[in-house]
Tab-separated table of all heavy atoms in Angstrom:
chain	number	residue	atom	x	y	z
A	1	VAL	N	0.843	-1.231	-0.010
A	1	VAL	CA	-0.013	-0.020	-0.003
A	1	VAL	C	0.861	1.276	-0.009
A	1	VAL	O	0.340	2.375	0.276
A	1	VAL	CB	-0.977	0.027	1.201
A	1	VAL	CG1	-2.002	-1.048	1.091
A	1	VAL	CG2	-0.156	-0.175	2.533
A	2	GLU	N	2.109	1.119	-0.335
A	2	GLU	CA	3.026	2.289	-0.262
A	2	GLU	C	3.641	2.660	-1.598
A	2	GLU	O	4.369	3.686	-1.712
A	2	GLU	CB	4.169	2.002	0.716
A	2	GLU	CG	3.602	1.742	2.128
A	2	GLU	CD	4.611	1.122	3.118
A	2	GLU	OE1	5.041	0.031	2.866
A	2	GLU	OE2	5.005	1.798	4.045
A	3	ALA	N	3.553	1.836	-2.614
A	3	ALA	CA	4.209	2.048	-3.897
A	3	ALA	C	3.878	3.384	-4.583
A	3	ALA	O	4.681	4.030	-5.096
A	3	ALA	CB	3.998	0.848	-4.798
A	4	GLU	N	2.545	3.695	-4.484
A	4	GLU	CA	2.079	4.892	-5.186
A	4	GLU	C	2.781	6.127	-4.675
A	4	GLU	O	3.148	7.018	-5.455
A	4	GLU	CB	0.583	5.034	-5.053
A	4	GLU	CG	-0.226	4.094	-5.907
A	4	GLU	CD	-0.235	2.628	-5.389
A	4	GLU	OE1	0.148	2.421	-4.237
A	4	GLU	OE2	-0.545	1.734	-6.211
A	5	MET	N	2.963	6.285	-3.356
A	5	MET	CA	3.574	7.449	-2.831
A	5	MET	C	5.101	7.448	-3.134
A	5	MET	O	5.694	8.528	-3.292
A	5	MET	CB	3.337	7.495	-1.293
A	5	MET	CG	1.918	7.804	-0.934
A	5	MET	SD	1.312	9.326	-1.631
A	5	MET	CE	0.370	8.750	-3.069
A	6	MET	N	5.680	6.261	-3.245
A	6	MET	CA	7.099	6.204	-3.633
A	6	MET	C	7.289	6.707	-5.000
A	6	MET	O	8.256	7.415	-5.303
A	6	MET	CB	7.549	4.751	-3.450
A	6	MET	CG	7.570	4.276	-2.047
A	6	MET	SD	7.856	2.447	-1.941
A	6	MET	CE	9.504	2.311	-2.471
A	7	LEU	N	6.367	6.298	-5.954
A	7	LEU	CA	6.413	6.807	-7.327
A	7	LEU	C	6.130	8.320	-7.323
A	7	LEU	O	6.768	9.059	-8.076
A	7	LEU	CB	5.430	6.088	-8.199
A	7	LEU	CG	5.698	4.595	-8.442
A	7	LEU	CD1	4.590	3.927	-9.124
A	7	LEU	CD2	6.969	4.452	-9.272
A	8	ALA	N	5.144	8.792	-6.588
A	8	ALA	CA	4.752	10.139	-6.618
A	8	ALA	C	5.909	11.085	-6.111
A	8	ALA	O	6.012	12.223	-6.580
A	8	ALA	CB	3.511	10.415	-5.703
A	9	ASP	N	6.734	10.575	-5.213
A	9	ASP	CA	7.886	11.339	-4.705
A	9	ASP	C	8.818	11.699	-5.840
A	9	ASP	O	9.520	12.735	-5.776
A	9	ASP	CB	8.569	10.609	-3.586
A	9	ASP	CG	7.847	10.567	-2.336
A	9	ASP	OD1	6.899	11.405	-2.115
A	9	ASP	OD2	8.184	9.741	-1.434
A	10	VAL	N	8.889	10.870	-6.819
A	10	VAL	CA	9.834	11.118	-7.998
A	10	VAL	C	9.134	11.708	-9.167
A	10	VAL	O	9.691	12.662	-9.774
A	10	VAL	CB	10.459	9.700	-8.406
A	10	VAL	CG1	11.351	9.899	-9.576
A	10	VAL	CG2	11.227	9.107	-7.262
A	11	LEU	N	7.888	11.180	-9.520
A	11	LEU	CA	7.205	11.654	-10.732
A	11	LEU	C	6.231	12.761	-10.508
A	11	LEU	O	5.850	13.387	-11.509
A	11	LEU	CB	6.482	10.448	-11.285
A	11	LEU	CG	7.327	9.191	-11.713
A	11	LEU	CD1	6.463	8.104	-12.070
A	11	LEU	CD2	8.314	9.600	-12.773
A	12	GLY	N	5.873	13.034	-9.258
A	12	GLY	CA	4.817	14.038	-8.967
A	12	GLY	C	3.522	13.252	-8.855
A	12	GLY	O	3.239	12.374	-9.617
A	13	ARG	N	2.670	13.736	-7.959
A	13	ARG	CA	1.382	12.988	-7.688
A	13	ARG	C	0.485	12.945	-8.899
A	13	ARG	O	-0.159	11.966	-9.130
A	13	ARG	CB	0.716	13.658	-6.487
A	13	ARG	CG	-0.429	12.908	-5.923
A	13	ARG	CD	-1.028	13.649	-4.732
A	13	ARG	NE	-2.136	12.996	-4.197
A	13	ARG	CZ	-2.127	12.122	-3.170
A	13	ARG	NH1	-0.904	11.872	-2.595
A	13	ARG	NH2	-3.164	11.530	-2.728
A	14	ASP	N	0.481	13.982	-9.690
A	14	ASP	CA	-0.423	14.062	-10.853
A	14	ASP	C	-0.134	13.055	-11.943
A	14	ASP	O	-0.971	12.756	-12.763
A	14	ASP	CB	-0.385	15.516	-11.478
A	14	ASP	CG	-1.038	16.546	-10.619
A	14	ASP	OD1	-1.785	16.153	-9.631
A	14	ASP	OD2	-0.826	17.737	-10.858
A	15	ALA	N	1.072	12.523	-11.894
A	15	ALA	CA	1.546	11.556	-12.946
A	15	ALA	C	1.171	10.060	-12.589
A	15	ALA	O	1.382	9.189	-13.379
A	15	ALA	CB	2.919	11.679	-13.276
A	16	VAL	N	0.631	9.871	-11.339
A	16	VAL	CA	0.563	8.464	-10.831
A	16	VAL	C	-0.921	8.101	-10.643
A	16	VAL	O	-1.713	8.859	-10.116
A	16	VAL	CB	1.235	8.414	-9.521
A	16	VAL	CG1	1.121	6.998	-8.931
A	16	VAL	CG2	2.708	8.759	-9.643
A	17	LEU	N	-1.255	6.905	-11.156
A	17	LEU	CA	-2.531	6.231	-10.868
A	17	LEU	C	-2.189	5.041	-10.018
A	17	LEU	O	-1.100	4.438	-10.085
A	17	LEU	CB	-3.283	5.805	-12.143
A	17	LEU	CG	-3.665	6.877	-13.159
A	17	LEU	CD1	-4.387	6.214	-14.320
A	17	LEU	CD2	-4.570	7.896	-12.534
A	18	ALA	N	-3.185	4.658	-9.142
A	18	ALA	CA	-3.037	3.427	-8.380
A	18	ALA	C	-3.556	2.248	-9.142
A	18	ALA	O	-4.485	2.361	-9.887
A	18	ALA	CB	-3.817	3.575	-7.077
A	19	GLY	N	-2.948	1.106	-8.932
A	19	GLY	CA	-3.344	-0.083	-9.634
A	19	GLY	C	-3.150	-1.346	-8.850
A	19	GLY	O	-2.327	-1.395	-7.910
A	20	ILE	N	-3.907	-2.360	-9.199
A	20	ILE	CA	-3.835	-3.673	-8.534
A	20	ILE	C	-3.878	-4.745	-9.604
A	20	ILE	O	-4.746	-4.671	-10.490
A	20	ILE	CB	-5.010	-3.869	-7.588
A	20	ILE	CG1	-5.030	-2.811	-6.527
A	20	ILE	CG2	-4.917	-5.247	-6.889
A	20	ILE	CD1	-6.330	-2.813	-5.710
A	21	ALA	N	-3.020	-5.662	-9.585
A	21	ALA	CA	-3.023	-6.815	-10.478
A	21	ALA	C	-3.518	-8.020	-9.709
A	21	ALA	O	-2.897	-8.429	-8.676
A	21	ALA	CB	-1.601	-7.092	-11.013
A	22	TYR	N	-4.599	-8.646	-10.149
A	22	TYR	CA	-5.099	-9.907	-9.596
A	22	TYR	C	-4.703	-11.031	-10.605
A	22	TYR	O	-5.376	-11.240	-11.537
A	22	TYR	CB	-6.602	-9.821	-9.492
A	22	TYR	CG	-7.133	-8.813	-8.484
A	22	TYR	CD1	-7.624	-7.560	-8.837
A	22	TYR	CD2	-7.080	-9.063	-7.061
A	22	TYR	CE1	-8.052	-6.655	-7.921
A	22	TYR	CE2	-7.555	-8.142	-6.169
A	22	TYR	CZ	-8.030	-6.908	-6.563
A	22	TYR	OH	-8.458	-6.022	-5.690
A	23	ILE	N	-3.679	-11.691	-10.221
A	23	ILE	CA	-3.098	-12.744	-11.117
A	23	ILE	C	-2.058	-13.483	-10.359
A	23	ILE	O	-1.439	-12.986	-9.464
A	23	ILE	CB	-2.477	-12.152	-12.396
A	23	ILE	CG1	-2.230	-13.242	-13.363
A	23	ILE	CG2	-1.232	-11.343	-12.104
A	23	ILE	CD1	-1.746	-12.727	-14.784
A	24	SER	N	-1.965	-14.789	-10.686
A	24	SER	CA	-0.841	-15.628	-10.209
A	24	SER	C	-0.076	-16.005	-11.437
A	24	SER	O	-0.481	-16.925	-12.171
A	24	SER	CB	-1.347	-16.784	-9.417
A	24	SER	OG	-0.276	-17.610	-8.991
A	25	ALA	N	1.073	-15.436	-11.634
A	25	ALA	CA	1.888	-15.650	-12.874
A	25	ALA	C	3.375	-15.494	-12.428
A	25	ALA	O	3.746	-14.599	-11.707
A	25	ALA	CB	1.538	-14.774	-13.972
A	26	HIS	N	4.251	-16.382	-12.926
A	26	HIS	CA	5.639	-16.338	-12.597
A	26	HIS	C	6.466	-16.692	-13.778
A	26	HIS	O	6.076	-17.422	-14.730
A	26	HIS	CB	5.924	-17.342	-11.468
A	26	HIS	CG	5.048	-17.302	-10.335
A	26	HIS	ND1	5.069	-16.290	-9.390
A	26	HIS	CD2	4.018	-18.161	-9.927
A	26	HIS	CE1	4.066	-16.517	-8.505
A	26	HIS	NE2	3.447	-17.661	-8.820
A	27	ILE	N	7.763	-16.286	-13.770
A	27	ILE	CA	8.684	-16.701	-14.776
A	27	ILE	C	9.145	-18.127	-14.390
A	27	ILE	O	9.591	-18.432	-13.255
A	27	ILE	CB	10.026	-15.820	-14.759
A	27	ILE	CG1	9.556	-14.405	-15.179
A	27	ILE	CG2	11.038	-16.357	-15.732
A	27	ILE	CD1	10.717	-13.413	-14.990
A	28	VAL	N	8.901	-19.114	-15.307
A	28	VAL	CA	9.314	-20.494	-15.075
A	28	VAL	C	10.539	-20.884	-15.830
A	28	VAL	O	11.193	-21.890	-15.493
A	28	VAL	CB	8.121	-21.429	-15.424
A	28	VAL	CG1	6.982	-21.247	-14.454
A	28	VAL	CG2	7.680	-21.272	-16.854
A	29	ALA	N	10.983	-20.044	-16.714
A	29	ALA	CA	12.203	-20.224	-17.518
A	29	ALA	C	12.487	-18.932	-18.223
A	29	ALA	O	11.540	-18.131	-18.421
A	29	ALA	CB	12.125	-21.375	-18.543
A	30	PRO	N	13.748	-18.577	-18.563
A	30	PRO	CA	13.969	-17.358	-19.246
A	30	PRO	C	13.132	-17.166	-20.469
A	30	PRO	O	13.089	-18.069	-21.372
A	30	PRO	CB	15.503	-17.454	-19.657
A	30	PRO	CG	16.056	-18.329	-18.581
A	30	PRO	CD	14.982	-19.342	-18.312
A	31	GLY	N	12.333	-16.131	-20.538
A	31	GLY	CA	11.423	-15.842	-21.632
A	31	GLY	C	10.116	-16.522	-21.599
A	31	GLY	O	9.339	-16.447	-22.518
A	32	VAL	N	9.825	-17.283	-20.490
A	32	VAL	CA	8.582	-18.052	-20.330
A	32	VAL	C	7.872	-17.687	-19.062
A	32	VAL	O	8.458	-17.766	-18.014
A	32	VAL	CB	8.840	-19.553	-20.377
A	32	VAL	CG1	7.548	-20.316	-20.359
A	32	VAL	CG2	9.698	-19.992	-21.634
A	33	ILE	N	6.569	-17.289	-19.181
A	33	ILE	CA	5.746	-16.998	-18.021
A	33	ILE	C	4.599	-17.981	-17.947
A	33	ILE	O	3.992	-18.272	-19.004
A	33	ILE	CB	5.218	-15.582	-18.132
A	33	ILE	CG1	6.397	-14.582	-17.932
A	33	ILE	CG2	4.124	-15.307	-17.111
A	33	ILE	CD1	6.057	-13.128	-18.326
A	34	GLU	N	4.309	-18.467	-16.763
A	34	GLU	CA	3.213	-19.373	-16.580
A	34	GLU	C	2.139	-18.667	-15.715
A	34	GLU	O	2.403	-18.152	-14.626
A	34	GLU	CB	3.705	-20.687	-15.894
A	34	GLU	CG	2.607	-21.705	-15.801
A	34	GLU	CD	3.159	-23.104	-15.356
A	34	GLU	OE1	3.458	-23.199	-14.151
A	34	GLU	OE2	3.258	-23.985	-16.217
A	35	HIS	N	0.888	-18.698	-16.224
A	35	HIS	CA	-0.210	-18.123	-15.501
A	35	HIS	C	-1.022	-19.248	-14.891
A	35	HIS	O	-1.529	-20.117	-15.648
A	35	HIS	CB	-1.040	-17.324	-16.585
A	35	HIS	CG	-2.399	-16.833	-16.024
A	35	HIS	ND1	-3.527	-16.746	-16.846
A	35	HIS	CD2	-2.792	-16.424	-14.790
A	35	HIS	CE1	-4.489	-16.299	-16.162
A	35	HIS	NE2	-4.108	-16.090	-14.885
A	36	VAL	N	-1.177	-19.209	-13.607
A	36	VAL	CA	-1.924	-20.282	-12.850
A	36	VAL	C	-3.294	-19.766	-12.577
A	36	VAL	O	-3.590	-18.649	-12.215
A	36	VAL	CB	-1.186	-20.553	-11.499
A	36	VAL	CG1	-1.932	-21.632	-10.758
A	36	VAL	CG2	0.244	-21.049	-11.825
A	37	GLY	N	-4.272	-20.707	-12.795
A	37	GLY	CA	-5.733	-20.388	-12.523
A	37	GLY	C	-6.294	-19.644	-13.738
A	37	GLY	O	-5.686	-19.501	-14.800
């Protein structure tokens, strides 16, 4: 819950939107991503 303010400190608050990714995905080999579920 702190990333947005960390970005705003560098980029300015007006340049930042908050976001959430709902996904389970990982790198399983170089260049390969596996999405679970």
